[in-house]
Amino acid sequence: MSEAQIEEAVRALRASVPEVPHLGVVLGSGLSAFADSLTEPRVIPMDSVPHLPVPSVPGHAKNLCFGRIGKARLACFSGRVHAYEGHPLDRVVFGVRLLAALGCRAVLLTNAAGGIRDDLGPGSFMLISDQLNLTGQSPLVGPADDRGPRFPDMTEAYDAGLRTLGRDAAEALNLDLREGVYAGLLGPSYETPAEVRMLRTLGADAVGMSTVLEVIALRQRGVRVAGVSTITNRAAGLSASPLDHSEVQATAERVRRVFVEFLTRWATLASLELARE
Ligand code: HPA
């Protein structure tokens, strides 16, 4: 039963990091540099945490890093597992449920995504306003989970207050932060041009293979959630070139410094707010 496994992972982590984190962060493809900006870092390899599934994708780091930004305590995953790796969904969301069980009251999720809307070119950033879960799956399927409602409300899945802080962080850095709807698909093949046209019609602004299941799991546990997509490429059929994972990694690398600056400022603002509550 995964709940007992989460408890066991919490106990193991508390033994080496007793402080309760305020804010959780999940870093997507090529975006793990943020973890290096934490002070008093404690880096825990994911494969040393009991039951925690470890990602297998190249370009994904595999650590859980505890540390601080100012006074705030953070727990930060560099790397995540995806449903396309073949894990059952309670394994896919194990990491974010672990953040909730450790005490995080808010989680910032980051990902790499393909831009669908015309203004979302490679290297741009999109604050996620809402999501389309098009994986055909949910981590909540199965017996009711008494740590939250059977039918969680998803009206404001991405927290309005945290989004405002994201906009404030971008403004302070003079960063052109776009905003839009993220569509999460199972993958691992990229979309066809016809699928991208369908996604645009459905209201998606960007597309990726992560995040949406984590958001559902976190909202069910009452954790506040926000997310930002780094647009690493135009979605399939919207540029002349075919898609390639190395392009995703290269763009993430190119924007690394700005991304780290933005996320650091956003996490700082979010932490200050959480500390006040
Ligand atoms: N599609 C799906 N996932 C992605 C993409 C994309 O174009 N870019 C980065 N992750």
Side-chain angles (χ1 to χ4, degrees), residues 6-54:
I6 289 171
E7 289 307 318
E8 197 180 330
V10 168
R11 276 196 300 277
L13 288 167
R14 285 260 161 79
S16 48
V17 188
E19 300 88 7
V20 173
H22 302 108
L23 179 67
V25 177
V26 179
L27 300 167
S29 291
L31 305 174
S32 56
F34 169 77
D36 303 335
S37 71
L38 299 181
T39 55
E40 298 172 35
R42 299 287 308 275
V43 180
I44 317 269
M46 284 170 72
D47 60 7
S48 74
V49 181
H51 310 296
L52 182 65
V54 178

Short mmCIF file of all heavy atoms in Angstrom, two decimals, residues 6-54:
data_model
loop_
_atom_site.label_atom_id
_atom_site.label_comp_id
_atom_site.label_asym_id
_atom_site.label_seq_id
_atom_site.Cartn_x
_atom_site.Cartn_y
_atom_site.Cartn_z
N ILE A 6 4.81 5.86 1.75
CA ILE A 6 5.10 7.30 1.87
C ILE A 6 5.52 7.60 3.31
O ILE A 6 6.50 8.31 3.55
CB ILE A 6 3.87 8.14 1.44
CG1 ILE A 6 3.69 8.05 -0.07
CG2 ILE A 6 4.04 9.60 1.86
CD1 ILE A 6 2.42 8.65 -0.61
N GLU A 7 4.80 7.03 4.28
CA GLU A 7 5.16 7.24 5.69
C GLU A 7 6.59 6.77 5.96
O GLU A 7 7.35 7.41 6.69
CB GLU A 7 4.17 6.50 6.61
CG GLU A 7 2.78 7.12 6.64
CD GLU A 7 2.82 8.61 6.97
OE1 GLU A 7 3.59 8.99 7.86
OE2 GLU A 7 2.10 9.39 6.32
N GLU A 8 6.93 5.63 5.37
CA GLU A 8 8.28 5.09 5.58
C GLU A 8 9.33 6.03 4.97
O GLU A 8 10.39 6.29 5.58
CB GLU A 8 8.37 3.70 4.94
CG GLU A 8 9.54 2.89 5.43
CD GLU A 8 9.58 1.51 4.77
OE1 GLU A 8 8.51 0.96 4.41
OE2 GLU A 8 10.72 1.01 4.59
N ALA A 9 9.02 6.56 3.77
CA ALA A 9 9.96 7.50 3.13
C ALA A 9 10.09 8.77 3.97
O ALA A 9 11.20 9.30 4.14
CB ALA A 9 9.47 7.84 1.72
N VAL A 10 8.97 9.26 4.53
CA VAL A 10 9.02 10.45 5.39
C VAL A 10 9.92 10.18 6.60
O VAL A 10 10.77 11.00 6.94
CB VAL A 10 7.59 10.86 5.85
CG1 VAL A 10 7.66 11.91 6.96
CG2 VAL A 10 6.78 11.41 4.67
N ARG A 11 9.73 9.04 7.24
CA ARG A 11 10.54 8.71 8.43
C ARG A 11 12.03 8.68 8.08
O ARG A 11 12.87 9.22 8.81
CB ARG A 11 10.12 7.36 9.01
CG ARG A 11 8.92 7.46 9.95
CD ARG A 11 8.80 6.19 10.81
NE ARG A 11 8.63 5.00 9.99
CZ ARG A 11 7.45 4.59 9.50
NH1 ARG A 11 6.35 5.27 9.75
NH2 ARG A 11 7.37 3.50 8.77
N ALA A 12 12.35 8.07 6.93
CA ALA A 12 13.76 7.97 6.52
C ALA A 12 14.34 9.37 6.27
O ALA A 12 15.47 9.66 6.69
CB ALA A 12 13.88 7.11 5.26
N LEU A 13 13.57 10.23 5.62
CA LEU A 13 14.09 11.57 5.31
C LEU A 13 14.21 12.42 6.58
O LEU A 13 15.17 13.17 6.73
CB LEU A 13 13.18 12.26 4.29
CG LEU A 13 13.29 11.70 2.87
CD1 LEU A 13 12.15 12.20 1.99
CD2 LEU A 13 14.63 12.08 2.25
N ARG A 14 13.22 12.28 7.48
CA ARG A 14 13.25 13.08 8.72
C ARG A 14 14.47 12.77 9.56
O ARG A 14 14.99 13.63 10.27
CB ARG A 14 11.99 12.80 9.55
CG ARG A 14 10.74 13.44 9.01
CD ARG A 14 10.39 14.73 9.75
NE ARG A 14 9.48 15.55 8.96
CZ ARG A 14 8.17 15.33 8.88
NH1 ARG A 14 7.63 14.34 9.56
NH2 ARG A 14 7.41 16.10 8.13
N ALA A 15 14.95 11.52 9.42
CA ALA A 15 16.12 11.13 10.20
C ALA A 15 17.34 11.96 9.78
O ALA A 15 18.19 12.28 10.61
CB ALA A 15 16.40 9.63 10.01
N SER A 16 17.44 12.31 8.50
CA SER A 16 18.59 13.12 8.08
C SER A 16 18.25 14.60 7.93
O SER A 16 19.13 15.45 8.03
CB SER A 16 19.23 12.58 6.79
OG SER A 16 18.26 12.33 5.83
N VAL A 17 16.99 14.93 7.65
CA VAL A 17 16.58 16.34 7.53
C VAL A 17 15.33 16.55 8.39
O VAL A 17 14.21 16.40 7.92
CB VAL A 17 16.26 16.71 6.05
CG1 VAL A 17 16.02 18.21 5.90
CG2 VAL A 17 17.37 16.25 5.12
N PRO A 18 15.52 16.89 9.65
CA PRO A 18 14.36 16.98 10.56
C PRO A 18 13.44 18.18 10.31
O PRO A 18 12.27 18.12 10.65
CB PRO A 18 14.99 17.07 11.95
CG PRO A 18 16.42 17.37 11.76
CD PRO A 18 16.79 17.06 10.34
N GLU A 19 13.97 19.27 9.68
CA GLU A 19 13.15 20.46 9.51
C GLU A 19 12.03 20.22 8.51
O GLU A 19 12.24 19.58 7.48
CB GLU A 19 13.99 21.65 9.02
CG GLU A 19 15.12 22.05 9.94
CD GLU A 19 16.40 21.29 9.65
OE1 GLU A 19 16.45 20.55 8.64
OE2 GLU A 19 17.36 21.43 10.43
N VAL A 20 10.87 20.78 8.81
CA VAL A 20 9.71 20.64 7.90
C VAL A 20 9.82 21.69 6.78
O VAL A 20 9.95 22.88 7.06
CB VAL A 20 8.40 20.85 8.68
CG1 VAL A 20 7.20 20.88 7.74
CG2 VAL A 20 8.24 19.75 9.73
N PRO A 21 9.79 21.25 5.51
CA PRO A 21 9.84 22.25 4.42
C PRO A 21 8.51 22.98 4.26
O PRO A 21 7.45 22.40 4.51
CB PRO A 21 10.14 21.39 3.18
CG PRO A 21 9.66 20.03 3.51
CD PRO A 21 9.74 19.87 5.01
N HIS A 22 8.58 24.26 3.86
CA HIS A 22 7.36 25.02 3.60
C HIS A 22 6.86 24.81 2.18
O HIS A 22 5.67 24.73 1.93
CB HIS A 22 7.63 26.54 3.73
CG HIS A 22 8.16 26.96 5.05
ND1 HIS A 22 9.46 27.36 5.25
CD2 HIS A 22 7.54 27.07 6.24
CE1 HIS A 22 9.64 27.68 6.51
NE2 HIS A 22 8.50 27.52 7.13
N LEU A 23 7.83 24.79 1.27
CA LEU A 23 7.50 24.85 -0.15
C LEU A 23 8.19 23.71 -0.88
O LEU A 23 9.37 23.46 -0.67
CB LEU A 23 8.00 26.20 -0.72
CG LEU A 23 7.79 26.47 -2.20
CD1 LEU A 23 6.30 26.63 -2.51
CD2 LEU A 23 8.54 27.75 -2.61
N GLY A 24 7.45 23.05 -1.75
CA GLY A 24 8.03 22.01 -2.61
C GLY A 24 8.22 22.55 -4.01
O GLY A 24 7.47 23.42 -4.45
N VAL A 25 9.23 22.01 -4.70
CA VAL A 25 9.48 22.40 -6.08
C VAL A 25 9.79 21.13 -6.86
O VAL A 25 10.48 20.24 -6.37
CB VAL A 25 10.68 23.38 -6.18
CG1 VAL A 25 11.00 23.73 -7.63
CG2 VAL A 25 10.42 24.66 -5.39
N VAL A 26 9.24 21.04 -8.07
CA VAL A 26 9.59 19.92 -8.95
C VAL A 26 10.19 20.51 -10.22
O VAL A 26 9.56 21.34 -10.89
CB VAL A 26 8.36 19.06 -9.30
CG1 VAL A 26 8.75 17.92 -10.24
CG2 VAL A 26 7.71 18.49 -8.03
N LEU A 27 11.41 20.10 -10.53
CA LEU A 27 12.14 20.65 -11.68
C LEU A 27 12.09 19.68 -12.85
O LEU A 27 12.45 18.51 -12.71
CB LEU A 27 13.59 20.92 -11.29
CG LEU A 27 13.74 21.92 -10.13
CD1 LEU A 27 15.16 21.89 -9.58
CD2 LEU A 27 13.36 23.32 -10.58
N GLY A 28 11.64 20.18 -14.00
CA GLY A 28 11.50 19.33 -15.18
C GLY A 28 12.78 19.22 -15.99
O GLY A 28 13.84 19.68 -15.57
N SER A 29 12.63 18.65 -17.17
CA SER A 29 13.74 18.41 -18.11
C SER A 29 14.72 19.56 -18.21
O SER A 29 14.34 20.66 -18.61
CB SER A 29 13.21 18.21 -19.54
OG SER A 29 12.52 17.06 -19.68
N GLY A 30 15.96 19.31 -17.87
CA GLY A 30 17.01 20.31 -18.08
C GLY A 30 16.90 21.52 -17.18
O GLY A 30 17.59 22.51 -17.39
N LEU A 31 16.02 21.49 -16.17
CA LEU A 31 15.76 22.69 -15.37
C LEU A 31 16.28 22.57 -13.94
O LEU A 31 15.93 23.35 -13.07
CB LEU A 31 14.24 22.97 -15.34
CG LEU A 31 13.56 23.09 -16.71
CD1 LEU A 31 12.06 23.21 -16.58
CD2 LEU A 31 14.11 24.28 -17.49
N SER A 32 17.15 21.58 -13.72
CA SER A 32 17.52 21.25 -12.34
C SER A 32 18.52 22.24 -11.72
O SER A 32 18.80 22.15 -10.52
CB SER A 32 18.07 19.83 -12.25
OG SER A 32 19.14 19.68 -13.13
N ALA A 33 19.03 23.21 -12.51
CA ALA A 33 20.04 24.14 -11.97
C ALA A 33 19.51 24.92 -10.77
O ALA A 33 20.30 25.37 -9.92
CB ALA A 33 20.50 25.10 -13.06
N PHE A 34 18.21 25.09 -10.68
CA PHE A 34 17.63 25.85 -9.57
C PHE A 34 18.09 25.29 -8.21
O PHE A 34 18.34 26.05 -7.27
CB PHE A 34 16.10 25.82 -9.65
CG PHE A 34 15.41 26.33 -8.43
CD1 PHE A 34 15.32 27.70 -8.18
CD2 PHE A 34 14.84 25.45 -7.51
CE1 PHE A 34 14.68 28.18 -7.04
CE2 PHE A 34 14.20 25.93 -6.38
CZ PHE A 34 14.12 27.30 -6.14
N ALA A 35 18.19 23.97 -8.14
CA ALA A 35 18.54 23.34 -6.86
C ALA A 35 19.90 23.84 -6.36
O ALA A 35 20.15 23.90 -5.14
CB ALA A 35 18.53 21.82 -7.00
N ASP A 36 20.79 24.23 -7.29
CA ASP A 36 22.12 24.71 -6.91
C ASP A 36 22.06 26.07 -6.21
O ASP A 36 23.03 26.49 -5.60
CB ASP A 36 23.03 24.85 -8.14
CG ASP A 36 23.16 23.54 -8.90
OD1 ASP A 36 22.98 22.49 -8.26
OD2 ASP A 36 23.42 23.58 -10.12
N SER A 37 20.92 26.76 -6.34
CA SER A 37 20.84 28.09 -5.74
C SER A 37 20.34 28.05 -4.29
O SER A 37 20.25 29.08 -3.63
CB SER A 37 19.93 29.00 -6.59
OG SER A 37 18.59 28.58 -6.46
N LEU A 38 20.02 26.85 -3.79
CA LEU A 38 19.57 26.75 -2.39
C LEU A 38 20.77 26.87 -1.45
O LEU A 38 21.85 26.37 -1.74
CB LEU A 38 18.87 25.42 -2.15
CG LEU A 38 17.61 25.15 -2.98
CD1 LEU A 38 17.01 23.79 -2.61
CD2 LEU A 38 16.58 26.25 -2.79
N THR A 39 20.54 27.54 -0.32
CA THR A 39 21.61 27.59 0.68
C THR A 39 21.43 26.43 1.67
O THR A 39 20.34 25.86 1.77
CB THR A 39 21.59 28.93 1.44
OG1 THR A 39 20.30 29.11 2.00
CG2 THR A 39 21.89 30.09 0.50
N GLU A 40 22.49 26.11 2.37
CA GLU A 40 22.51 24.96 3.29
C GLU A 40 21.92 23.71 2.64
O GLU A 40 21.05 23.05 3.20
CB GLU A 40 21.72 25.28 4.58
CG GLU A 40 22.31 26.43 5.38
CD GLU A 40 21.37 26.82 6.54
OE1 GLU A 40 20.73 25.92 7.10
OE2 GLU A 40 21.29 28.02 6.84
N PRO A 41 22.39 23.41 1.41
CA PRO A 41 21.75 22.29 0.69
C PRO A 41 22.05 20.93 1.31
O PRO A 41 23.16 20.70 1.81
CB PRO A 41 22.37 22.39 -0.70
CG PRO A 41 23.68 23.05 -0.50
CD PRO A 41 23.52 23.99 0.66
N ARG A 42 21.06 20.08 1.30
CA ARG A 42 21.23 18.66 1.64
C ARG A 42 20.72 17.87 0.46
O ARG A 42 19.51 17.84 0.22
CB ARG A 42 20.40 18.30 2.88
CG ARG A 42 20.78 19.08 4.14
CD ARG A 42 22.11 18.59 4.69
NE ARG A 42 22.15 17.14 4.86
CZ ARG A 42 21.71 16.51 5.94
NH1 ARG A 42 21.22 17.17 6.95
NH2 ARG A 42 21.77 15.19 6.01
N VAL A 43 21.63 17.28 -0.28
CA VAL A 43 21.24 16.57 -1.50
C VAL A 43 21.06 15.09 -1.21
O VAL A 43 21.99 14.42 -0.76
CB VAL A 43 22.29 16.78 -2.61
CG1 VAL A 43 21.87 16.05 -3.88
CG2 VAL A 43 22.49 18.26 -2.90
N ILE A 44 19.86 14.60 -1.43
CA ILE A 44 19.57 13.19 -1.17
C ILE A 44 19.31 12.50 -2.51
O ILE A 44 18.36 12.86 -3.21
CB ILE A 44 18.28 13.04 -0.30
CG1 ILE A 44 18.26 14.06 0.84
CG2 ILE A 44 18.03 11.61 0.11
CD1 ILE A 44 18.86 13.63 2.12
N PRO A 45 20.15 11.55 -2.90
CA PRO A 45 19.88 10.84 -4.16
C PRO A 45 18.52 10.14 -4.08
O PRO A 45 18.20 9.52 -3.05
CB PRO A 45 21.01 9.81 -4.24
CG PRO A 45 22.06 10.28 -3.28
CD PRO A 45 21.34 11.05 -2.21
N MET A 46 17.72 10.26 -5.14
CA MET A 46 16.38 9.69 -5.08
C MET A 46 16.41 8.18 -4.82
O MET A 46 15.53 7.65 -4.16
CB MET A 46 15.62 10.01 -6.38
CG MET A 46 15.14 11.46 -6.41
SD MET A 46 14.49 11.99 -8.01
CE MET A 46 12.94 11.13 -8.08
N ASP A 47 17.46 7.51 -5.32
CA ASP A 47 17.47 6.05 -5.14
C ASP A 47 17.82 5.63 -3.71
O ASP A 47 17.83 4.45 -3.39
CB ASP A 47 18.39 5.37 -6.17
CG ASP A 47 19.84 5.82 -6.06
OD1 ASP A 47 20.16 6.56 -5.10
OD2 ASP A 47 20.65 5.44 -6.93
N SER A 48 18.09 6.62 -2.84
CA SER A 48 18.35 6.25 -1.45
C SER A 48 17.10 6.44 -0.58
O SER A 48 17.12 6.13 0.62
CB SER A 48 19.51 7.09 -0.88
OG SER A 48 19.09 8.42 -0.65
N VAL A 49 16.02 6.96 -1.17
CA VAL A 49 14.78 7.16 -0.40
C VAL A 49 13.91 5.93 -0.57
O VAL A 49 13.61 5.54 -1.70
CB VAL A 49 14.02 8.41 -0.89
CG1 VAL A 49 12.75 8.63 -0.09
CG2 VAL A 49 14.92 9.64 -0.86
N PRO A 50 13.49 5.29 0.52
CA PRO A 50 12.69 4.07 0.40
C PRO A 50 11.47 4.29 -0.49
O PRO A 50 10.76 5.28 -0.32
CB PRO A 50 12.26 3.76 1.83
CG PRO A 50 13.14 4.57 2.72
CD PRO A 50 13.71 5.69 1.92
N HIS A 51 11.28 3.38 -1.43
CA HIS A 51 10.08 3.32 -2.30
C HIS A 51 9.97 4.42 -3.34
O HIS A 51 9.06 4.38 -4.16
CB HIS A 51 8.78 3.31 -1.46
CG HIS A 51 8.79 2.33 -0.37
ND1 HIS A 51 8.85 0.97 -0.60
CD2 HIS A 51 8.77 2.47 0.99
CE1 HIS A 51 8.86 0.33 0.56
NE2 HIS A 51 8.81 1.22 1.54
N LEU A 52 10.84 5.42 -3.31
CA LEU A 52 10.69 6.52 -4.24
C LEU A 52 11.13 6.07 -5.65
O LEU A 52 12.26 5.65 -5.82
CB LEU A 52 11.56 7.70 -3.79
CG LEU A 52 11.49 8.98 -4.63
CD1 LEU A 52 10.09 9.60 -4.56
CD2 LEU A 52 12.53 10.00 -4.14
N PRO A 53 10.24 6.13 -6.64
CA PRO A 53 10.66 5.74 -7.98
C PRO A 53 11.66 6.74 -8.56
O PRO A 53 11.58 7.93 -8.28
CB PRO A 53 9.36 5.73 -8.80
CG PRO A 53 8.39 6.54 -8.02
CD PRO A 53 8.84 6.57 -6.60
N VAL A 54 12.58 6.24 -9.35
CA VAL A 54 13.68 7.07 -9.86
C VAL A 54 13.50 7.24 -11.37
O VAL A 54 13.24 6.27 -12.08
CB VAL A 54 15.04 6.41 -9.55
CG1 VAL A 54 16.18 7.24 -10.11
CG2 VAL A 54 15.21 6.22 -8.05
#
